[in-house]
Amino acid sequence: MTAASVLSVESVTKVFSGAGKPDLVALEDVSFSVGDGEFVAIVGASGSGKSTLLRIIDGLLPATSGAVRVGGEAVTHPGFDRAMVFQQDCLLPWKTVLDNVAYGLVIGGAKIADAHETARRFVQMAGLTGFEHHYPHQLSGGMRQRVNVARALAVNPRILLLDEPFAALDAQTREIMQGELLNIWSESRTTVVLITHQIEEAVFLSDRVVVFSARPGSVREEIPVPLPRPRTMEMKRSEVFVSLVDRVWRLIEHEVRKAVEEGMA
Ligand SMILES: Nc1ncnc2c1ncn2[C@@H]1O[C@H](COP(=O)(O)OP(=O)(O)O)[C@@H](O)[C@H]1O
Ligand SMILES: [Mg+2]
Protein backbone atom coordinates (compact mmCIF):
# COMPACT_ATOMS: atom_id res chain seq x y z
CA MET A 1 0.00 0.00 0.00
CA THR A 2 1.39 3.41 -0.91
CA ALA A 3 1.24 6.17 1.70
CA ALA A 4 -1.76 7.94 0.18
CA SER A 5 -3.83 4.90 -0.70
CA VAL A 6 -7.14 4.45 1.07
CA LEU A 7 -7.97 1.08 -0.40
CA SER A 8 -5.62 -1.72 -1.19
CA VAL A 9 -6.64 -5.00 -2.73
CA GLU A 10 -3.84 -7.48 -2.15
CA SER A 11 -3.64 -10.73 -4.11
CA VAL A 12 -7.34 -11.44 -3.70
CA THR A 13 -8.48 -14.83 -4.93
CA LYS A 14 -12.07 -16.04 -4.63
CA VAL A 15 -13.14 -19.61 -5.17
CA PHE A 16 -16.82 -20.53 -4.90
CA SER A 17 -17.26 -24.12 -3.87
CA GLY A 18 -20.64 -25.75 -3.46
CA ALA A 19 -21.69 -29.28 -2.55
CA GLY A 20 -21.60 -31.51 -5.61
CA LYS A 21 -20.42 -28.69 -7.86
CA PRO A 22 -16.94 -28.13 -9.25
CA ASP A 23 -15.05 -25.22 -7.72
CA LEU A 24 -15.44 -21.94 -9.55
CA VAL A 25 -12.50 -19.58 -9.47
CA ALA A 26 -14.11 -16.14 -9.78
CA LEU A 27 -11.05 -14.00 -8.98
CA GLU A 28 -7.39 -14.84 -9.17
CA ASP A 29 -4.63 -12.83 -7.55
CA VAL A 30 -6.25 -9.41 -7.94
CA SER A 31 -4.13 -6.52 -6.71
CA PHE A 32 -4.52 -2.77 -7.07
CA SER A 33 -4.79 0.23 -4.82
CA VAL A 34 -6.88 3.39 -4.81
CA GLY A 35 -5.64 6.74 -3.57
CA ASP A 36 -7.46 9.17 -1.31
CA GLY A 37 -10.14 10.99 -3.31
CA GLU A 38 -9.40 8.99 -6.43
CA PHE A 39 -12.17 7.80 -8.76
CA VAL A 40 -11.38 4.36 -10.14
CA ALA A 41 -13.53 2.44 -12.60
CA ILE A 42 -13.37 -1.32 -13.12
CA VAL A 43 -14.42 -2.76 -16.46
CA GLY A 44 -14.49 -6.35 -17.61
CA ALA A 45 -16.66 -8.87 -19.42
CA SER A 46 -19.79 -10.19 -17.77
CA GLY A 47 -18.84 -12.89 -15.25
CA SER A 48 -15.30 -11.61 -14.71
CA GLY A 49 -15.88 -11.28 -10.98
CA LYS A 50 -16.41 -7.51 -10.70
CA SER A 51 -19.43 -7.73 -8.38
CA THR A 52 -17.73 -10.44 -6.36
CA LEU A 53 -14.73 -8.16 -5.83
CA LEU A 54 -16.92 -5.24 -4.77
CA ARG A 55 -18.72 -7.46 -2.27
CA ILE A 56 -15.37 -8.56 -0.87
CA ILE A 57 -14.28 -4.91 -0.55
CA ASP A 58 -17.58 -4.12 1.19
CA GLY A 59 -17.02 -7.03 3.57
CA LEU A 60 -20.16 -8.89 2.52
CA LEU A 61 -18.11 -11.82 1.28
CA PRO A 62 -14.76 -13.20 2.50
CA ALA A 63 -11.84 -13.62 0.10
CA THR A 64 -10.53 -17.18 -0.21
CA SER A 65 -7.01 -15.79 0.04
CA GLY A 66 -5.44 -12.37 -0.02
CA ALA A 67 -6.64 -9.26 1.77
CA VAL A 68 -8.48 -5.99 1.38
CA ARG A 69 -7.37 -3.05 3.49
CA VAL A 70 -9.13 0.24 4.05
CA GLY A 71 -6.93 2.86 5.67
CA GLY A 72 -4.47 0.07 6.42
CA GLU A 73 -7.03 -2.05 8.34
CA ALA A 74 -8.02 -5.47 7.03
CA VAL A 75 -11.68 -5.66 6.01
CA THR A 76 -13.55 -8.48 7.73
CA HIS A 77 -17.16 -7.27 7.66
CA PRO A 78 -19.24 -4.34 6.37
CA GLY A 79 -18.64 -1.02 8.08
CA PHE A 80 -19.65 2.62 7.94
CA ASP A 81 -16.35 3.47 6.22
CA ARG A 82 -17.73 1.86 3.04
CA ALA A 83 -21.04 2.52 1.31
CA MET A 84 -22.40 0.50 -1.58
CA VAL A 85 -24.82 1.45 -4.34
CA PHE A 86 -26.31 -1.30 -6.47
CA GLN A 87 -28.02 -1.29 -9.84
CA GLN A 88 -31.42 -1.57 -8.18
CA ASP A 89 -32.00 1.22 -5.72
CA CYS A 90 -32.58 -0.04 -2.22
CA LEU A 91 -34.72 2.79 -0.95
CA LEU A 92 -37.34 2.12 1.66
CA PRO A 93 -40.67 2.67 -0.13
CA TRP A 94 -42.49 3.80 3.00
CA LYS A 95 -39.96 6.50 3.82
CA THR A 96 -39.65 9.94 2.23
CA VAL A 97 -36.58 11.06 0.28
CA LEU A 98 -35.28 12.92 3.33
CA ASP A 99 -35.81 9.94 5.64
CA ASN A 100 -34.21 7.57 3.18
CA VAL A 101 -31.12 9.76 2.97
CA ALA A 102 -31.09 10.16 6.77
CA TYR A 103 -31.64 6.44 7.41
CA GLY A 104 -28.00 5.33 7.58
CA LEU A 105 -27.20 8.17 9.98
CA VAL A 106 -30.11 7.27 12.24
CA ILE A 107 -29.02 3.63 12.28
CA GLY A 108 -25.53 4.86 13.12
CA GLY A 109 -26.97 6.52 16.23
CA ALA A 110 -27.45 10.15 15.10
CA LYS A 111 -30.31 12.21 16.54
CA ILE A 112 -33.18 12.63 14.06
CA ALA A 113 -32.75 16.42 13.86
CA ASP A 114 -29.02 16.12 13.15
CA ALA A 115 -29.59 13.33 10.65
CA HIS A 116 -32.17 15.45 8.84
CA GLU A 117 -29.86 18.43 8.72
CA THR A 118 -27.07 16.38 7.14
CA ALA A 119 -29.54 14.61 4.84
CA ARG A 120 -30.85 17.98 3.58
CA ARG A 121 -27.34 18.93 2.52
CA PHE A 122 -26.95 15.74 0.49
CA VAL A 123 -30.44 16.02 -0.98
CA GLN A 124 -29.43 19.46 -2.19
CA MET A 125 -26.12 18.17 -3.56
CA ALA A 126 -28.05 15.53 -5.49
CA GLY A 127 -30.21 18.27 -7.02
CA LEU A 128 -33.35 17.02 -5.27
CA THR A 129 -34.30 20.08 -3.26
CA GLY A 130 -38.10 20.31 -3.28
CA PHE A 131 -38.48 16.53 -3.30
CA GLU A 132 -37.57 15.93 0.36
CA HIS A 133 -41.09 14.81 1.24
CA HIS A 134 -41.75 12.73 -1.84
CA TYR A 135 -41.82 8.95 -1.65
CA PRO A 136 -39.65 6.76 -3.93
CA HIS A 137 -42.62 5.71 -6.10
CA GLN A 138 -43.23 9.38 -6.94
CA LEU A 139 -39.76 9.74 -8.48
CA SER A 140 -38.25 8.76 -11.84
CA GLY A 141 -35.62 6.00 -12.00
CA GLY A 142 -32.84 8.56 -12.37
CA MET A 143 -34.04 10.54 -9.36
CA ARG A 144 -34.31 7.40 -7.24
CA GLN A 145 -30.74 6.50 -8.09
CA ARG A 146 -29.65 10.04 -7.12
CA VAL A 147 -31.37 9.56 -3.75
CA ASN A 148 -29.51 6.29 -3.48
CA VAL A 149 -26.13 7.97 -4.07
CA ALA A 150 -27.06 10.76 -1.62
CA ARG A 151 -28.03 8.11 0.95
CA ALA A 152 -24.69 6.36 0.51
CA LEU A 153 -22.66 9.59 0.78
CA ALA A 154 -24.59 10.98 3.76
CA VAL A 155 -22.86 8.56 6.15
CA ASN A 156 -19.56 10.10 5.04
CA PRO A 157 -17.89 6.88 3.94
CA ARG A 158 -14.20 6.78 3.11
CA ILE A 159 -15.06 4.78 0.02
CA LEU A 160 -18.13 4.78 -2.17
CA LEU A 161 -18.65 1.49 -4.01
CA LEU A 162 -20.87 1.62 -7.08
CA ASP A 163 -21.92 -1.61 -8.83
CA GLU A 164 -23.38 -0.79 -12.26
CA PRO A 165 -25.41 2.03 -10.70
CA PHE A 166 -26.95 3.22 -13.97
CA ALA A 167 -27.46 -0.10 -15.72
CA ALA A 168 -31.23 -0.04 -15.27
CA LEU A 169 -31.61 3.46 -16.72
CA ASP A 170 -32.26 4.37 -20.35
CA ALA A 171 -29.35 5.75 -22.39
CA GLN A 172 -30.28 9.44 -22.09
CA THR A 173 -30.98 9.31 -18.36
CA ARG A 174 -27.70 7.48 -17.97
CA GLU A 175 -25.75 10.29 -19.68
CA ILE A 176 -27.38 12.85 -17.43
CA MET A 177 -26.72 10.75 -14.34
CA GLN A 178 -23.01 10.56 -15.19
CA GLY A 179 -22.86 14.36 -15.02
CA GLU A 180 -24.94 14.39 -11.83
CA LEU A 181 -22.68 11.84 -10.20
CA LEU A 182 -19.62 13.96 -11.01
CA ASN A 183 -21.36 17.03 -9.56
CA ILE A 184 -22.10 15.26 -6.29
CA TRP A 185 -18.63 13.73 -6.24
CA SER A 186 -16.86 17.04 -6.89
CA GLU A 187 -18.40 18.39 -3.68
CA SER A 188 -17.72 15.36 -1.51
CA ARG A 189 -14.47 14.13 -3.11
CA THR A 190 -15.03 10.71 -1.64
CA THR A 191 -12.84 7.90 -2.92
CA VAL A 192 -14.89 5.96 -5.49
CA VAL A 193 -14.71 2.48 -6.97
CA LEU A 194 -17.20 2.15 -9.83
CA ILE A 195 -18.01 -1.00 -11.72
CA THR A 196 -19.47 -0.61 -15.15
CA HIS A 197 -19.50 -2.61 -18.33
CA GLN A 198 -19.80 0.61 -20.32
CA ILE A 199 -16.30 1.60 -21.36
CA GLU A 200 -17.26 5.19 -22.25
CA GLU A 201 -18.80 5.63 -18.82
CA ALA A 202 -15.65 4.27 -17.15
CA VAL A 203 -13.36 6.64 -19.06
CA PHE A 204 -15.65 9.66 -18.70
CA LEU A 205 -16.01 9.36 -14.94
CA SER A 206 -12.72 8.03 -13.66
CA ASP A 207 -9.11 8.97 -13.00
CA ARG A 208 -8.03 5.43 -13.80
CA VAL A 209 -9.62 2.41 -15.47
CA VAL A 210 -8.76 -1.03 -14.12
CA VAL A 211 -9.35 -3.55 -16.89
CA PHE A 212 -10.25 -7.08 -15.82
CA SER A 213 -9.59 -10.25 -17.74
CA ALA A 214 -12.39 -12.79 -18.21
CA ARG A 215 -13.00 -15.40 -15.51
CA PRO A 216 -11.08 -15.89 -13.37
CA GLY A 217 -10.96 -12.13 -13.08
CA SER A 218 -7.55 -10.56 -12.70
CA VAL A 219 -6.13 -7.13 -13.44
CA ARG A 220 -5.11 -7.06 -17.07
CA GLU A 221 -4.12 -3.42 -17.24
CA GLU A 222 -4.55 -0.14 -15.40
CA ILE A 223 -5.11 2.82 -17.69
CA PRO A 224 -4.81 6.39 -16.36
CA VAL A 225 -7.32 8.90 -17.73
CA PRO A 226 -5.49 12.20 -18.26
CA LEU A 227 -8.63 14.24 -19.01
CA PRO A 228 -8.94 17.42 -16.91
CA ARG A 229 -11.78 18.05 -14.46
CA PRO A 230 -14.48 19.15 -14.45
CA ARG A 231 -15.37 16.74 -17.22
CA THR A 232 -17.72 17.95 -19.90
CA MET A 233 -19.89 16.12 -22.42
CA GLU A 234 -17.80 17.67 -25.22
CA MET A 235 -14.78 15.73 -23.97
CA LYS A 236 -16.50 12.55 -25.15
CA ARG A 237 -15.73 13.69 -28.68
CA SER A 238 -12.08 14.54 -28.00
CA GLU A 239 -9.28 12.53 -29.52
CA VAL A 240 -7.88 11.56 -26.11
CA PHE A 241 -11.25 10.22 -24.99
CA VAL A 242 -11.96 8.28 -28.15
CA SER A 243 -8.52 6.68 -28.20
CA LEU A 244 -8.77 5.67 -24.51
CA VAL A 245 -12.15 4.04 -25.10
CA ASP A 246 -10.70 2.25 -28.09
CA ARG A 247 -7.72 1.04 -26.10
CA VAL A 248 -9.89 -0.42 -23.32
CA TRP A 249 -12.27 -1.98 -25.84
CA ARG A 250 -9.38 -3.73 -27.62
CA LEU A 251 -8.30 -5.24 -24.30
CA ILE A 252 -11.65 -6.86 -23.60
CA GLU A 253 -13.35 -7.16 -26.99
CA HIS A 254 -12.51 -10.82 -27.48
CA GLU A 255 -13.79 -11.77 -24.02
CA VAL A 256 -16.92 -9.70 -24.22
CA ARG A 257 -17.81 -11.38 -27.52
CA LYS A 258 -17.15 -14.79 -25.99
CA ALA A 259 -19.35 -14.00 -22.96
CA VAL A 260 -22.15 -12.94 -25.28
CA GLU A 261 -21.82 -16.14 -27.29
CA GLU A 262 -21.92 -18.19 -24.10
CA GLY A 263 -25.10 -16.40 -23.14
CA MET A 264 -23.66 -14.79 -20.02
CA ALA A 265 -24.26 -11.17 -21.03
N1 LIG B 1 -22.46 -16.88 -4.55
C1 LIG B 1 -21.94 -17.46 -5.64
N2 LIG B 1 -21.81 -18.79 -5.72
C2 LIG B 1 -21.26 -19.39 -6.80
N3 LIG B 1 -20.82 -18.72 -7.88
C3 LIG B 1 -20.93 -17.38 -7.88
C4 LIG B 1 -21.51 -16.67 -6.76
N4 LIG B 1 -21.47 -15.33 -7.04
C5 LIG B 1 -20.94 -15.22 -8.27
N5 LIG B 1 -20.61 -16.42 -8.77
C6 LIG B 1 -19.95 -16.70 -10.06
O1 LIG B 1 -18.73 -15.99 -10.09
C7 LIG B 1 -18.47 -15.45 -11.37
C8 LIG B 1 -18.31 -13.94 -11.27
O2 LIG B 1 -19.56 -13.35 -10.99
P1 LIG B 1 -19.76 -11.78 -10.78
O3 LIG B 1 -18.83 -11.33 -9.72
O4 LIG B 1 -21.20 -11.53 -10.57
O5 LIG B 1 -19.27 -11.21 -12.20
P2 LIG B 1 -19.52 -9.78 -12.87
O6 LIG B 1 -20.06 -8.85 -11.84
O7 LIG B 1 -18.18 -9.38 -13.41
O8 LIG B 1 -20.49 -10.00 -13.99
C9 LIG B 1 -19.66 -15.87 -12.25
O9 LIG B 1 -19.29 -17.03 -12.95
C10 LIG B 1 -20.74 -16.16 -11.23
O10 LIG B 1 -21.64 -17.13 -11.74
MG1 LIG C 1 -21.81 -7.68 -11.72
Side-chain angles (χ1 to χ4, degrees):
M1 192 180 84
T2 58
S5 74
V6 166
L7 169 70
S8 65
V9 175
E10 301 166 2
S11 304
V12 166
T13 291
K14 179 68 189 178
V15 183
F16 288 110
S17 32
K21 279 193 267 175
D23 284 357
L24 186 144
V25 185
L27 296 167
E28 192 166 50
D29 199 20
V30 173
S31 297
F32 64 95
S33 57
V34 180
D36 194 11
E38 198 183 4
F39 195 131
V40 166
I42 300 176
V43 297
S46 196
S48 61
K50 304 180 298 295
S51 294
T52 300
L53 177 67
L54 220 61
R55 287 165 66 208
I56 293 171
I57 295 172
D58 199 36
L60 293 166
L61 201 65
T64 305
S65 64
V68 170
R69 286 178 214 285
V70 173
E73 300 247 337
V75 165
T76 51
H77 50 77
F80 283 109
D81 56 351
R82 284 147 289 145
M84 177 95 109
V85 171
F86 297 97
Q87 176 178 332
Q88 299 301 335
D89 69 68
C90 22
L91 302 176
L92 301 170
W94 62 90
K95 284 190 183 282
T96 62
V97 166
L98 192 67
D99 282 326
N100 265 292
V101 175
Y103 188 65
L105 295 159
V106 173
I107 290 186
K111 292 204 186 83
I112 293 280
D114 295 341
H116 276 176
E117 195 185 317
T118 305
R120 258 191 208 96
R121 211 156 38 82
F122 283 92
V123 166
Q124 187 195 5
M125 251 190 234
L128 292 162
T129 303
F131 293 93
E132 292 87 343
H133 304 296
H134 282 60
Y135 288 87
H137 76 270
Q138 298 173 303
L139 306 176
S140 68
M143 288 166 93
R144 279 202 298 275
Q145 206 51 320
R146 261 143 68 192
V147 178
N148 217 21
V149 172
R151 175 191 61 78
L153 286 173
V155 297
N156 195 24
R158 290 192 76 172
I159 306 175
L160 179 64
L161 305 169
L162 303 167
D163 190 351
E164 305 262 9
F166 309 141
L169 304 176
D170 64 76
Q172 278 113 38
T173 308
R174 188 168 184 142
E175 290 253 335
I176 291 165
M177 283 298 294
Q178 292 168 359
E180 295 284 346
L181 175 64
L182 288 183
N183 286 342
I184 305 174
W185 177 72
S186 67
E187 289 195 45
S188 68
R189 285 286 166 170
T190 311
T191 304
V192 178
V193 179
L194 165 85
I195 285 175
T196 175
H197 60 253
Q198 243 208 12
I199 298 169
E200 288 206 355
E201 182 168 280
V203 172
F204 182 63
L205 296 175
S206 75
D207 297 313
R208 182 158 45 106
V209 180
V210 175
V211 183
F212 264 36
S213 69
R215 201 181 75 219
S218 61
V219 177
R220 169 157 293 169
E221 205 161 316
E222 298 189 37
I223 299 178
V225 179
L227 294 167
R229 294 190 186 273
R231 302 270 163 91
T232 61
M233 290 295 171
E234 291 73 56
M235 285 179 192
K236 291 191 175 182
R237 290 189 291 273
S238 72
E239 218 170 287
V240 177
F241 184 86
V242 172
S243 69
L244 280 169
V245 169
D246 189 53
R247 190 169 153 205
V248 177
W249 173 239
R250 276 165 206 267
L251 284 168
I252 60 172
E253 177 178 9
H254 174 69
E255 294 163 350
V256 170
R257 288 192 193 284
K258 209 165 128 212
V260 171
E261 276 156 26
E262 286 167 1
M264 290 175 67

